[in-house]
Amino acid sequence: MRHKTLLIATLILGLAALALVRLNREQPAADGGKQPLVATATLDQLKSFTVKAGNKSVTLEKSADGWTVKEKLSLPADVENRLQPLIRGLQKANNLGQLTANPKRLERLGLTDSSVALTSADGKTTTIQFGKQTEDGVGASARLQGQDFAVRTDFTGYLEGDATSWVDFNLFVAPPAEIKSVAFRWKDGQAEFSRQAKGVPFEGKQGSVEDIVMTLATVRAADAVALDDKEAAQAARASQVKLTLFDGSAVTLTFAKAATAKPNEQPKTFVRVEHSDPKHPANALAKKAVFVAAPWLAEQVPGSLADFKKGQQPAPEPVAPPIPIPGPAPAIITSPDIKVK
């Protein structure tokens, strides 16, 4: 009987403690009271915004020429892959009500790690701090400017504070089928290839360039430096490639390699793009910065005629290893007239 009474008392104490925890724990508001996280007018009249994340900060500004990245020489922003996804995420995001005002809980949410500051045309700035995902998994926790409590949201966008990640580094893009001819210039020689019509192979005395043309149809940089960058100014010209399109336009790519400090170190390759159309964006970009070629692009363009010819040689066919014969090694039978010492 004594054991039964003790068990009942323990059960009652446990239920009381659970009820106390539930009372002290702040309950999120119902979804019925949700409202937009960011006012529609703020996003419609957006002139600039700053993203802070990962101990880095980047500011994008809107001008007559479009969106640019302030910290990266005011180069064009990657609208399709970076800007639009973030703006759409903020447009769809809702404020689902108060999450907590408990200082200790607010600290655990990490609300000071990431934020977005939106500035509209009237000069007003709306700042939102984003923290960890809420326990229900709907979206990130957030705190609006001037509030001492966090709210639940359904925002799931990715915040990136690295300015380089926001730049559109596509310097020149054309369908490979539109390229009519390609001409290489090196210190030790040159090579030219052309085709009479779209879809037919290139013709030239030195070999084949089909794979190289496929690569050069998209000229993308990995980074950019200022026009007065010392390393870029001292880089030695390695090669020049001229692409002529069927529409008569032409683009010239000039590659220069910087000196390396170590024998086996991969040199940094700079690329300059000049288009025959003065109004082409590549010409405007060349006046803003010097671009560092993406590694895959630099590796595909031969640095000399000797390297080009070497790349034209077919790779040797692999020699199949001898197939081991299972079982004991065969005995060596010698002639009776031969004495083995």
Side-chain angles (χ1 to χ4, degrees):
M1 186 69 180
R2 184 177 301 171
H3 292 292
K4 184 176 181 181
T5 303
L6 183 60
L7 180 61
I8 293 174
T10 303
L11 204 58
I12 293 174
L13 288 174
L15 292 173
L18 182 61
L20 184 62
V21 169
R22 287 182 173 274
L23 286 174
N24 290 334
R25 183 176 179 180
E26 299 173 58
Q27 298 297 320
D31 286 355
K34 69 180 182 181
Q35 56 184 339
L37 181 63
V38 183
T40 302
T42 299
L43 295 174
D44 289 344
Q45 302 176 15
L46 197 61
K47 290 293 292 182
S48 70
F49 66 89
T50 300
V51 178
K52 294 182 179 179
N55 297 321
K56 295 182 179 181
S57 176
V58 58
T59 299
L60 273 73
E61 299 174 326
K62 187 178 182 181
S63 65
D65 298 328
W67 287 93
T68 59
V69 184
K70 180 181 179 181
E71 290 81 0
K72 207 62 180 176
L73 305 168
S74 294
L75 292 172
D78 188 343
V79 175
E80 182 178 355
N81 298 303
R82 287 293 185 186
L83 180 60
Q84 287 184 352
L86 177 59
I87 298 302
R88 288 171 181 168
L90 292 173
Q91 287 174 334
K92 296 178 181 179
N94 291 294
N95 180 343
L96 303 178
Q98 182 171 330
L99 175 64
T100 183
N102 187 312
K104 291 185 177 180
R105 239 189 124 191
L106 289 172
E107 186 177 351
R108 289 196 297 269
L109 290 175
L111 293 165
T112 59
D113 296 339
S114 302
S115 66
V116 176
L118 307 166
T119 303
S120 54
D122 57 7
K124 295 182 179 179
T125 300
T126 301
T127 302
I128 307 172
Q129 295 177 319
F130 289 99
K132 297 179 181 178
Q133 190 177 48
T134 55
E135 295 176 358
D136 55 14
V138 174
S141 56
R143 179 166 54 191
L144 303 176
Q145 184 177 0
Q147 296 182 345
D148 56 2
F149 59 89
V151 298
R152 294 172 62 239
T153 77
D154 52 8
F155 176 75
T156 57
Y158 177 71
L159 301 180
E160 174 61 73
D162 185 2
T164 304
S165 300
W166 283 88
V167 178
D168 182 0
F169 280 117
N170 285 322
L171 307 180
F172 171 76
V173 179
E178 294 295 328
I179 299 176
K180 181 180 181 180
S181 66
V182 54
F184 300 90
R185 298 289 184 272
W186 300 287
K187 289 183 179 180
D188 59 343
Q190 60 187 36
E192 296 184 8
F193 301 84
S194 63
R195 54 185 172 185
Q196 298 300 319
K198 300 178 183 180
V200 301
F202 285 89
E203 297 178 358
K205 298 179 181 180
Q206 296 90 340
S208 174
V209 290
E210 303 294 336
D211 292 341
I212 297 180
V213 169
M214 289 290 292
T215 300
L216 294 176
T218 299
V219 180
R220 180 174 175 80
D223 201 355
V225 296
L227 293 172
D228 59 353
D229 183 81
K230 292 183 179 179
E231 187 178 22
Q234 296 173 359
R237 175 175 160 179
S239 60
Q240 189 176 75
V241 185
K242 183 177 181 180
L243 303 173
T244 303
L245 280 65
F246 279 100
D247 63 5
S249 63
V251 59
T252 301
L253 317 174
T254 303
F255 295 88
K257 291 189 177 182
T260 56
K262 300 178 182 178
N264 297 325
E265 184 180 359
Q266 188 71 21
K268 183 183 293 185
T269 302
F270 298 95
V271 57
R272 180 181 177 86
V273 180
E274 298 176 86
H275 200 279
S276 59
D277 181 1
K279 297 182 180 180
H280 193 277
N283 297 325
L285 292 176
K287 296 178 181 179
K288 283 189 172 185
V290 180
F291 293 91
V292 180
W296 52 265
L297 176 63
E299 292 172 359
Q300 287 293 318
V301 179
S304 66
L305 178 60
D307 290 341
F308 178 76
K309 290 181 177 180
K310 186 178 179 180
Q312 298 295 312
Q313 297 175 0
E317 296 184 3
V319 179
I323 301 175
I325 301 175
I332 300 176
I333 303 175
T334 61
S335 172
D337 297 334
I338 300 176
K339 294 181 180 180
V340 179
K341 296 182 179 181

